[in-house]
C-alpha cells in the first residue's frame, strides 16, 4: 500500500510542476489559480510522501518520489510545453525509469 502512496505522491509532484509551468505563462487571476493548484498539489504530495515513508526507507522513498516527478515533468514538458525530445534526453530518461524500477525491487 505504501508504494501506491508513493506513486500518488509522485503524480502530485508532477501536478505541482505542471501548475508552476502554467502559472509562468499566465498573468492576473489566472496565474493565481495556477499557483493555488500548485500549493494544493504540493500539500497533497507531501502528505502522501509522509505516509509512504512510514514503512519504506526514506532514501528509497525520496529517490522514487523525485524520480516520478522528474520523469513526469519531462514528459509534460515534451508533450504539453513543446520542449525538445532528442535521443540523449530520452535515453537518460529511460535510464532513470530503469533505476527507479530497480530501487523498488531491491527495497522490498
Amino acid at each position: 500500500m505504501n508504494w501506491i502512496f508513493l506513486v500518488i505522491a509522485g503524480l502530485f509532484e508532477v501536478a505541482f510542476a505542471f501548475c508552476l509551468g502554467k502559472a509562468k505563462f499566465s498573468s492576473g487571476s489566472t496565474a493565481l489559480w495556477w499557483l493555488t493548484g500548485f500549493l494544493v498539489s504540493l500539500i497533497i504530495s507531501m502528505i502522501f510522501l509522509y505516509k509512504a515513508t512510514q514503512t519504506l526507507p526514506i532514501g528509497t522513498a525520496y529517490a522514487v518520489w523525485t524520480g516520478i516527478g522528474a520523469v513526469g515533468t519531462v514528459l509534460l514538458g515534451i508533450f504539453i510545453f513543446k520542449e525538445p525530445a532528442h535521443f540523449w534526453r530520452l535515453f537518460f530518461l529511460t535510464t532513470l525509469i530503469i533505476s527507479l524500477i530497480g530501487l523498488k525491487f531491491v527495497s522490498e
Side-chain angles (χ1 to χ4, degrees):
M1 188 68 179
N2 287 312
W3 283 100
I4 294 170
F5 289 155
L6 189 56
V7 169
I8 293 169
L11 293 175
F12 273 99
E13 183 184 8
V14 174
F16 76 67
F18 175 74
C19 290
L20 194 59
K22 292 297 276 186
K24 175 182 174 182
F25 298 111
S26 301
S27 62
S29 63
T30 304
L32 184 60
W33 282 110
W34 284 115
L35 290 172
T36 301
F38 165 79
L39 287 173
V40 169
S41 298
L42 177 66
I43 291 167
I44 293 170
S45 182
M46 291 297 130
I47 290 169
F48 277 100
L49 179 61
Y50 171 74
K51 287 181 156 294
T53 59
Q54 297 303 301
T55 58
L56 298 174
I58 188 72
T60 300
Y62 185 75
V64 171
W65 177 72
T66 57
I68 292 169
V71 169
T73 303
V74 168
L75 292 175
L76 278 177
I78 291 169
F79 292 114
I80 304 292
F81 297 111
K82 307 298 183 209
E83 293 176 357
H86 52 76
F87 171 79
W88 287 112
R89 193 166 192 207
L90 297 176
F91 172 78
F92 288 115
L93 188 63
T94 303
T95 61
L96 178 57
I97 292 167
I98 292 168
S99 298
L100 294 172
I101 292 167
L103 275 174
K104 195 250 186 255
F105 285 117
V106 300
S107 297
E108 292 185 7

